Amino acid sequence: MSDTFLGMPAFPQAARVALHNTTLRANLRHATHTIRAKRAQAVAELSDWEQLRDAGRQIKDHTLRHLDRYLIQLEQAVTESGGTVHWAVDADDANRIVADLVKATGESEVVKVKSMATQEIGLNEALAAEGITAYETDLAELIVQLGDDRPSHILVPAIHRNRAEIRAIFTSEMAAWGRAAPDGLTDSPGDLAEAARLHLREKFLRARVAISGANFMVAETGTLVVVESEGNGRMCLTLPRTLISVVGVEKVVPTWRDLEVFLQTLPRLSTAERMNPYTSMWTGTVDGDGPQDFHLVLLDNGRTDVLADAVGRQALRCIRCSACLNVCPVYERAGGHAYGSVYPGPIGAILTPQLRGTTSAIDASLPFASSLCGACYEVCPVAIDIPEVLVHLRERVVDQSGAGHRTESIAMAAVSWALRHPSVLATAERLATTTRALHPRRPPGVRAWTAGRELPELPAQSFRDWWKENHR
Amino acid sequence: MTQAARERILARIRSAVEQTPDVPPPTRDYLTAHTRDDPTQNTERLHRNLTEYRAIVHRATPTRLPTLLAERLAAQGAQSIVVPDGVPDAWFSACAIQRYGDRGPLTPAALDAIDAVITGCALAIAETGTIVLDGGPDQGRRALTLVPDLHICVVRTPAQIVPSVPLALPLLAPDRPLTWISGPSATSDIELDRVEGVHGPRRLEVVLLETEG
């Protein structure tokens, strides 16, 4: 990924561009609708889903309350089993630690397991600046890397690409990165997967250093867990001599037993499977099996700021299942790039402004990138009340001023007053219907919000008046 | 400096949560299993769930096992296999193909030239259609079951099958490298549609071996 999110326009501008991209909208609609139905079915198989969801929430909240204790316990367990633990306050810290570790091996290339944390800190770019090439090995990450593109989904970063586009990228770009795409490559998913297999095989077999993230870290045992489908994770976690895992501090869980909750909820929500094809668990190093040198880099990079916010900290429960993206009407239409962050969709709209602050235009606009419909909260396996955090962050943005958002807060205040005063509402409705010929097609005022929207046609009569006439 | 970073992060965490009331550990009122722990049902369910995720599943008695393995290797066109030390020799009494032990040990390139691997497992989980490897003597180190393109895994039934994930975890040792396998390698990365076969073994065959108790 050489393209970056720096200098991104605010969500409304980016979304407006995306809304006019019909291929993108079709790709997203197809993919998100495919997964929604399957997910509902996978969840319905478990009669205790609500209890599992509640336990997931409780485990995460308990962990966050005692995060210092569990990180120290984790550090001790990893160290005792032969690993080395590093702490990184921010992205620069983490990138420097990883680059130094890679350089110490004498290698100039690494293979990577898909990892949100390393995308968040821009590790690939930092390594490139040190003369180290990082090869992404997850199929979707490979598509993004070869296409000089940006990720647009947490689980499936190339969700914005359809099979024809992927075929074109493979055909034109693979040769520059290693083994070229086979002649006569078709756009069948099976053939595309085969091309990726052949392209990456030589890299796996010769790799000496791998970089990963982790889905979970178990404090009591020092075990790291990576959940995946393709086997690229297993390749990276098994074949190289040195393994470096960069993991956000919030990924720790206290006990081995806690995995029984998340290993049931995560696969069903993310890929709608009873279980994902491969899960790897390792504790430090093991003589004669897998990497003999293991480093864990614990990453803060704004997470402790999130933790300090009593409402916003629930975002740290996130297990990156991406179900909230797949159900979100805003994400489905605007796509992931409009969020200007490696964390798109509803979770991104609450996580990014907390991790990065709300000073830039894009970050200040993210809490407004939602209709507050609540589908994300309903589906979330750790019960993050995303609408609650969005509203909380909107207050924060409005408080730090900004004329556009003040307009919205005034409008919202007016609406809320009218809704609490039925006679005012009735008068307003009657006024609106009798003057409807005069209405503009688009809502007046705040153009940033209204430009992409058309007003619905008002009926000749308000519902209240119709009710009065017909139900006396 | 990482030590200074450590202190700084821990201090920031403490100041972030110090005003927060204690949060008790979870109540865990979810189920331990979603099905009854019945040996016949466990085997049926494992069989069905593995098949749904495109593993090829066989049933065999100990007497029939060597013939079955020989047949499957021939059917898949395998010319060579790698076998961990702890797999009984008797399993291969009907096989004539080239058989390697993990001597040297075998390099990734050497493993890449071998067609298949045959192992046992630590346990299997019926509800999710999962087999778990823990690097035991009949499974070998992780690379063996990763690089060859065909993995044949023998599960002793009913003894090695547990109904659910919560019943599996207490039986597994966290200090061993664990690999949970639910069907062959797959991806949903193209249009969120599941396709089997990427980097791990593209073909997974599971033999449910009927044993006493």
Side-chain angles (χ1 to χ4, degrees), chain A residues 30-32 34-35 38 45-48 51-52 55 58-59 61-62 64-68 71-72 75 85-89 93 96 137-140 143 155-156 158-159 161-163 166 189-190 192-194 196-197 200-201 204-205 221 223 229-232 234-235 237-239 249 255-261 263-264 268 271-283 286 288-291 298 300 304-305 307-308 313 326, chain B residues 1-34 48-50 52-53 102 105 108-109 111-112 125-130 133-135 140-149 151 164-202:
Chain A
H30 171 71
T32 56
T34 302
I35 198 77
K38 290 188 198 164
E45 281 187 6
L46 301 185
S47 58
D48 58 341
Q51 288 81 4
L52 283 166
Q58 292 173 353
I59 290 168
D61 281 355
H62 170 77
L64 290 171
R65 176 61 185 82
H66 303 285
L67 191 57
D68 54 336
L71 287 174
I72 291 168
E75 175 184 49
V85 177
H86 310 259
W87 300 69
V89 168
D93 247 12
R96 188 181 37 73
T137 66
D138 169 77
L139 178 52
I143 296 164
L155 180 75
V156 195
I159 195 171
R161 299 288 196 185
N162 62 33
R163 59 188 72 187
I166 295 167
L192 296 171
E194 167 75 9
R197 177 185 171 94
L200 288 172
R201 196 82 179 170
F204 289 135
L205 296 180
T221 61
T223 309
S229 297
E230 296 168 14
N232 65 305
R234 292 176 69 191
M235 290 279 177
L237 300 171
T238 306
L239 298 182
V249 290
T255 68
W256 179 247
R257 188 182 175 190
D258 293 329
L259 294 176
E260 73 189 17
V261 174
L263 289 179
Q264 293 192 83
R268 286 179 196 261
T271 49
E273 293 165 307
R274 292 189 190 96
M275 189 61 84
N276 49 290
Y278 299 133
T279 298
S280 296
M281 303 180 181
W282 73 97
T283 304
V286 178
D289 188 348
L298 293 172
D300 180 346
T304 48
D305 290 330
L307 189 63
R313 67 167 65 119
N326 299 336
Chain B
M1 201 43 238
T2 180
Q3 186 61 31
R6 179 184 189 275
E7 297 317 315
R8 191 164 153 204
I9 293 169
L10 291 173
R12 289 175 61 91
I13 291 169
R14 286 171 189 138
S15 96
V17 297
E18 65 188 356
Q19 304 295 325
T20 311
D22 190 23
V23 181
T27 45
R28 300 190 196 277
D29 45 7
Y30 48 87
L31 302 171
T32 311
H34 299 87
R48 202 168 52 239
N49 287 336
L50 278 165
E52 195 179 321
Y53 287 145
D102 189 19
L111 281 171
D112 194 37
I125 306 168
E127 273 185 15
T128 56
T130 304
L133 309 180
D134 71 353
R141 64 194 171 100
R142 287 170 286 173
L144 300 192
T145 43
L146 174 61
V147 182
D149 205 16
H151 180 194
S164 68
V165 171
L167 292 172
L169 280 164
L171 303 176
L172 295 166
D175 59 344
R176 307 184 71 107
L178 301 175
T179 306
W180 296 42
I181 299 172
S182 308
S185 160
T187 182
S188 301
D189 279 356
I190 301 167
E191 301 176 4
L192 273 177
D193 220 355
R194 197 175 196 274
V195 186
E196 279 77 24
V198 199
H199 304 295
R202 285 180 290 187

Side-chain angles (χ1 to χ4, degrees), chain A residues 95-135:
Chain A
N95 289 333
R96 188 181 37 73
I97 291 168
V98 176
D100 287 350
L101 288 170
V102 176
K103 281 193 272 182
T105 67
E107 296 293 314
S108 60
E109 57 179 44
V110 300
V111 286
K112 277 188 71 201
V113 189
K114 178 175 165 8
S115 139
M116 298 305 300
T118 60
Q119 276 179 18
E120 174 192 323
I121 62 176
L123 179 64
N124 292 7
E125 295 77 12
L127 290 178
E130 302 274 350
I132 300 161
T133 309
Y135 295 111

